[in-house]
Amino acid sequence: MKNLLKIVYEDEDLLVANKPPGILVDRSVSEEMSFSDLVASYAQRSVRSLHRLDRDTSGLVMFALNAKWNRYFSELFEKKRVRKAYWAIVKGDWDGRITKIETNIAPVSAGRFRCHPTEGKSAVTTFRKVDSTDGYSWIQALPKTGRTHQIRLHCLETGYPIVGDRFYSSDSHNPLLLHAQSLDFELPSGARRLSLTADPPGSWNPWLELFETRKNS
């Protein structure tokens, strides 16, 4: 399991790692190993995840290595001073005029949510189309709020479900192509600003090659 830990940034207070798909950020009621467990084992101390990704979503996750900056980093997220950008590959030729989706997101059942006109909590995501080919589009999504399954639901709301989204589409044979690609935030006391990026997992390679092939054709 240790080979799953790809560290992108580390100092005495903070660690940022690239989570692979298929592993929970934090341990559930089961005894399944979590990504937090891997980070704690590496750091030889207790750690706290500062935000979460779904099991099948890959990408950057921040961990506090001590209590010193727990409050600071929590406030960064609460005050929306962390810029998070995701990559997704969706079905269909994304309409480039769609640059912002704002809905309410409400629970339907355990682990399932939906966009709703009045119920739930407000959710806002901005989008940018990166490329499209052969009935698929590569997009960048910037969530302005942190609702569960927000990007999945907003892509579905526009009519472009994410490839491999077994929760909200019938695509159960592909991997989920949603990846937390970058984080941008300021370290405590304005010491400096970090702009971190992480490559998507190998399951993305055949899909990215589709777009590369189109460029070279």
Side-chain angles (χ1 to χ4, degrees):
M1 292 289 281
K2 287 186 178 180
N3 62 350
L4 297 178
L5 187 59
K6 297 179 180 179
I7 297 168
V8 176
Y9 175 82
E10 181 182 8
D11 62 27
E12 63 182 6
D13 305 309
L14 177 71
L15 184 147
V16 183
N18 186 5
K19 185 186 88 68
I23 185 170
L24 292 170
V25 171
D26 292 316
R27 187 176 292 226
S28 65
V29 293
S30 72
E31 292 301 310
E32 177 185 355
M33 177 75 74
S34 71
F35 200 52
S36 291
D37 292 330
L38 294 178
V39 173
S41 177
Y42 165 81
Q44 294 295 294
R45 68 181 87 175
S46 297
V47 302
R48 184 171 75 90
S49 59
L50 295 170
H51 59 116
R52 292 178 178 85
L53 299 177
D54 297 335
R55 177 193 292 273
D56 294 327
T57 302
S58 58
L60 295 173
V61 183
M62 299 168 64
F63 294 90
L65 298 181
N66 53 51
K68 183 177 180 182
W69 300 119
N70 273 353
R71 181 177 178 182
Y72 172 78
F73 285 116
S74 294
E75 287 179 350
L76 280 182
F77 281 99
E78 290 169 5
K79 295 178 181 178
K80 299 179 176 60
R81 290 163 56 194
V82 177
R83 182 183 185 274
K84 297 185 289 182
Y86 289 72
W87 281 353
I89 295 178
V90 300
K91 295 181 180 179
D93 186 356
W94 184 278
D95 185 342
R97 295 171 296 180
I98 300 173
T99 58
K100 183 179 181 180
I101 300 295
E102 184 170 3
T103 69
N104 284 0
I105 290 179
V108 175
S109 60
R112 296 291 192 277
F113 299 81
R114 63 172 176 168
C115 291
H116 194 279
T118 57
E119 296 177 4
K121 296 181 179 180
S122 175
V124 181
T125 311
T126 60
F127 293 96
R128 179 177 68 87
K129 179 178 177 179
V130 179
D131 202 355
S132 63
T133 185
D134 294 335
Y136 295 95
S137 296
W138 173 7
I139 62 169
Q140 182 191 63
L142 281 73
K144 305 303 181 182
T145 50
R147 311 303 177 206
T148 303
H149 294 175
Q150 176 174 318
I151 297 173
R152 295 187 189 205
L153 289 167
H154 280 175
C155 287
L156 190 67
E157 182 76 3
T158 64
Y160 303 100
I162 297 176
V163 171
D165 190 348
R166 58 186 176 84
F167 279 12
Y168 302 109
S169 77
S170 59
D171 187 353
S172 60
H173 60 281
N174 286 309
L176 179 68
L177 299 184
L178 178 62
H179 176 70
Q181 190 264 341
S182 70
L183 286 169
D184 188 280
F185 58 94
E186 192 173 86
L187 289 172
S189 305
R192 64 189 176 103
R193 191 163 193 88
L194 287 180
S195 294
L196 306 175
T197 61
D199 291 333
S203 55
W204 277 63
N205 291 345
W207 297 87
L208 294 178
E209 286 171 6
L210 287 176
F211 298 100
E212 189 63 30
T213 300
R214 187 193 71 81
K215 289 180 181 179
N216 295 332
S217 61

